[in-house]
Amino acid sequence: MIAETVAEYDVVLCVGDTTFLDYGSIVAKKEGYGPIGKGGNGLILHSALAIEPINGQSIGLLWQKLWNREPKKKPSKNETPAKKKIRLATARIEARKRPFEVLNLTGG
């Protein structure tokens, strides 16, 4: 298990990466996936890699999460700039209320 291997080191670098898997050009894949990047359609992959800092050697993959965003609701055609500002502010407030997922890498 990677968590046990990481515990053997005094210092470990945790390098994160986000990859967008864009299926926007594949018609059969358009359903069920959400928006990514700037106009894409697909999945989002978050990864965390453990690196030994002195030699720069990879210890292993600590964590990965594959997910997709829900498609956003389209605003009404008569939405004014003021209403758009309120809608986006409300969405940000709601997004901040989402709970964080706590990860236990020690296995206990």
Side-chain angles (χ1 to χ4, degrees):
M1 181 175 229
I2 296 301
E4 294 167 354
T5 305
V6 167
E8 297 173 10
Y9 293 88
D10 291 330
V11 176
V12 173
L13 301 177
C14 179
V15 180
D17 176 67
T18 299
T19 301
F20 295 105
L21 306 169
D22 191 349
Y23 300 120
S25 63
I26 304 171
V27 175
K29 296 271 187 180
K30 286 197 181 253
E31 294 298 318
Y33 295 116
I36 62 168
K38 297 186 179 188
N41 185 60
L43 299 170
I44 303 166
L45 178 64
H46 295 291
S47 303
L49 183 66
I51 304 287
E52 188 278 319
I54 295 176
N55 298 316
Q57 294 296 309
S58 170
I59 299 170
L61 188 63
L62 289 171
W63 177 80
Q64 269 192 322
K65 181 177 181 176
L66 181 67
W67 65 289
N68 69 293
R69 293 181 179 132
E70 291 297 321
K72 294 181 181 178
K73 295 178 185 174
K74 295 191 178 194
S76 64
K77 292 180 182 179
N78 61 351
E79 183 178 62
T80 64
K83 286 183 181 178
K84 179 179 179 180
K85 186 175 181 180
I86 292 169
R87 178 177 54 84
L88 294 176
T90 303
R92 280 191 300 275
I93 290 168
E94 289 302 313
R96 290 182 187 128
K97 291 180 183 177
R98 290 184 304 215
F100 284 96
E101 181 180 337
V102 177
L103 300 175
N104 182 354
L105 298 177
T106 62

